[in-house]
Amino acid sequence: MKKFLISVMCVAVSVASLFGLSACVGGKSGQAVNLVSVTAAEVGVRGDVDYFVVPEPAASVKVGAMKNLVFSGDVQKLYGGEEGYPQAVVVVKNNIAANSLIGALVSELKTSEDWLLSEEVSSSTICNAVASHLTKGMTPTFTEKNLDKSVIENCSVKFTDARNCKQKVKAFMEKINAVGQSAFGIPQDKFFSEESNFENTEHVGSVSVYAPDGAPALGLAKLMAEMPVLNVTDMNYGIVDATTIQTYVTGSEPRADICVLPVNLAVKLLGDGEKYKMLGTLTNGNLFLLSAGKPSVTKENISSLKGKTVGVVNLAQVPGLVFKTVLKDNGLEFKELI
């Protein structure tokens, strides 16, 4: 009898999958938050979705293009207040990690946020700095039409050195590992740079710096606009497609001396600290909830998402993992719809 019941249950699950019914990750019918994967093109278009989770600058572009679409929540604040979650990090090869060049780089990165938001720095200056180092053939994420101070603020560029974000990064990795189908791992202590006084050793030779286009590239815009500031005659920047960024830090002879990576990739690929050290976090999340006029979602009323359907751009990646973490931390069950 027991074997018969198990067989019936297996058939039921198979039938549910066949006809596109939900794959339950947790939660009772009507009480769980329904999560569905959506493409950027579907944002604001799919009528069966109550809220959409979208990164900047795509969020602002969508809101500007669709009259019925509005910002209805800040995922960073839902995650952990004003600072949000660690998103992109800066890593450096171990052989130059203590050089005076890196000390100067860190100092400049700490001023990037103020520079980007300064009224004296125009959108064209920022866009030109990034576009001048963009991989040939790529369409830039940011243009003068979609980049303004509000979008820059939403991209959360704020450099925090490794000593001051170490525990936050470890805690974040534990959280997304817990809600993902596969774990990225936890970074070892030696992955985090502990330098407080960088050596006076001058760097000799060229330095290659790579970052994905988008919010991470914004974090380097000041350096690219004011290249002589580091007093390095051969500082080579490359702004590349986000899907290829990991290739610059892998292999027996990785091309990047300095690289900006999503924190999960940095930990997965380099978290043992054998080849690279993490200098710090560069951006702190850029995900927002959009809707067609639905009530704004805050920490105080997040339970209102029960029974709602939320479409997430890149549900299987960090955006989806972060949103699942937010739901879990607030005691909300969720299920993924196939």
Side-chain angles (χ1 to χ4, degrees), residues 139-160:
T139 300
T141 299
F142 295 109
T143 66
E144 292 182 53
K145 291 183 178 180
N146 66 22
L147 185 67
D148 58 27
K149 298 305 180 184
S150 65
V151 172
I152 293 172
E153 286 184 345
N154 287 348
C155 287
S156 302
V157 174
K158 182 179 182 180
F159 183 83
T160 304

Side-chain angles (χ1 to χ4, degrees), residues 22 24 26-34 306-308 333-335 337:
S22 64
C24 191
K28 299 176 182 179
S29 177
Q31 293 299 309
V33 181
N34 302 309
K306 289 181 180 180
K308 299 293 194 299
E333 298 175 325
F334 58 84
K335 60 181 179 180
L337 302 182

